[in-house]
């Protein structure tokens, strides 16, 4: 028999190394090991890399610093700038050269994002995967807004946690430029009681957008159903013949 294999688990730095260690221990065939590695590269590594970028977003940070790690905006309209990641849109509103507010919209479901860090642990939600009905929050009665236009619909819930939330306002929303669906919409819902309508939306609608207003925001605007990037603007960005979209992280 060969010598026993020992692994120093304190030196395993990430999940990929842990998987490789298990493959060695269990004696998984090389073909299966390659399939595991491919699965990691295709599904888990891009999501993890994107999460590292999104976790750095912070109100009050100088725009020069943001652009150094987020890259140049793909769209700009006055003080509003839109950035493109492999599975997300990031919209930043600046004032006096610093981030006043920002919004993240997940556009690919497989690159869903855990927003706990950006909400200081007050909202347990996976953008691009969770529904409004599954939100785990300290606030059980958020402000609610619903909007419906010719080609788009929107739904949003706004939260404020005071000191535990660093005096920031948080909005979770569905944006048609993102992943998932908004259900229970259309003229058939107009006759339903408001509470029934809200419950139907919350039960089946994907939360794909988070907007954060920093404490320096002097006047929080009235809550609207349309939150985050403008779908028509980013649609032009993705149209055939437009500049290539962001490459993988």
């Amino acid at each position: 028999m060969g010598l026993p294999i020992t692994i120093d688990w304190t030196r395993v730095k990430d999940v990929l190394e842990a998987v490789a260690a298990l493959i060695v221990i269990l004696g998984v065939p090389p073909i299966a090991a390659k399939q595991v590695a491919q699965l990691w590269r295709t599904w888990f590594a891009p999501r993890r890399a994107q999460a590292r970028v999104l976790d750095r977003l912070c109100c009050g940070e100088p725009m020069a610093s943001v652009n150094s790690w987020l890259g140049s905006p793909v769209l700009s309209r006055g003080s509003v700038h839109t950035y493109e990641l492999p599975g997300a849109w990031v919209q930043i509103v600046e004032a006096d050269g610093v981030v006043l507010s920002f919004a993240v919209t997940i556009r690919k479901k497989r690159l869903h994002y855990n927003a706990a860090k950006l909400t200081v642990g007050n909202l347990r939600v996976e953008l691009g995967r969770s529904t409004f009905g599954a939100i785990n929050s300290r606030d059980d009665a958020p402000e609610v807004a619903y909007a419906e236009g010719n080609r788009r619909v929107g739904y949003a819930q706004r939260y404020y946690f005071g000191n535990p939330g660093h005096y920031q306002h948080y909005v979770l929303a569905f944006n048609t430029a993102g992943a998932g669906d908004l259900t229970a919409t259309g003229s058939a819902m107009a006759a339903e009681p408001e509470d029934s309508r809200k419950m139907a939306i919350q039960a089946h609608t994907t939360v794909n957008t988070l907007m954060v207003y920093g404490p320096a925001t002097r006047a929080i605007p009235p809550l609207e159903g349309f939150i985050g990037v403008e779908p028509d603007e980013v649609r032009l960005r993705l149209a055939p013949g437009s500049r290539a979209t962001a490459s993988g992280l």
Side-chain angles (χ1 to χ4, degrees), residues 177-209:
D181 301 292
L182 189 151
T183 60
T185 63
S187 58
M189 288 198 57
E192 294 184 22
E194 187 64 27
D195 286 346
S196 298
R197 183 183 197 186
K198 184 172 68 174
M199 290 177 63
I201 292 176
Q202 290 175 338
H204 304 290
T205 297
T206 307
V207 185
N208 60 26
T209 298

Side-chain angles (χ1 to χ4, degrees), residues 30-51:
I31 293 179
K34 289 181 180 179
Q35 292 174 339
V36 171
Q38 180 61 33
L39 180 66
W40 171 265
R41 287 192 296 268
T42 303
W43 290 92
F44 301 109
R47 176 157 55 88
R48 198 170 179 212
Q50 179 171 273

Side-chain angles (χ1 to χ4, degrees), residues 91-175:
Q91 184 186 76
I92 291 178
V93 178
E94 67 162 306
D96 300 323
V98 301
V99 178
L100 188 65
S101 65
F102 64 85
V104 175
T105 297
I106 297 299
R107 59 192 182 93
K108 292 183 180 180
K109 187 174 182 178
R110 70 180 181 86
L111 295 181
H112 54 89
Y113 171 67
N114 187 321
K117 186 168 185 177
L118 293 185
T119 62
V120 202
N122 289 285
L123 290 167
R124 302 299 178 90
V125 59
E126 287 278 340
L127 299 183
R129 171 182 273 187
S130 299
T131 62
F132 284 92
I135 294 173
N136 186 347
S137 164
R138 298 170 186 250
D139 184 357
D140 294 328
E143 184 181 357
V144 170
Y146 171 80
E148 191 170 344
N150 292 330
R151 297 191 315 278
R152 62 173 177 162
V153 291
Y155 178 79
Q157 297 184 173
R158 180 156 61 194
Y159 302 80
Y160 181 72
F161 306 103
N163 183 57
H166 294 180
Y167 298 104
Q168 300 184 128
H169 289 79
Y170 303 92
V171 182
L172 294 177
F174 170 83
N175 185 314

Side-chain angles (χ1 to χ4, degrees), residues 60-99:
E61 183 171 358
M63 289 299 299
S65 174
V66 172
N67 290 333
S68 70
W69 54 264
L70 194 55
S72 299
V74 295
L75 298 167
S76 287
R77 179 168 32 89
S79 61
V80 182
H81 310 289
T82 300
Y83 301 78
E84 184 180 9
L85 297 178
W89 299 108
V90 176
Q91 184 186 76
I92 291 178
V93 178
E94 67 162 306
D96 300 323
V98 301
V99 178

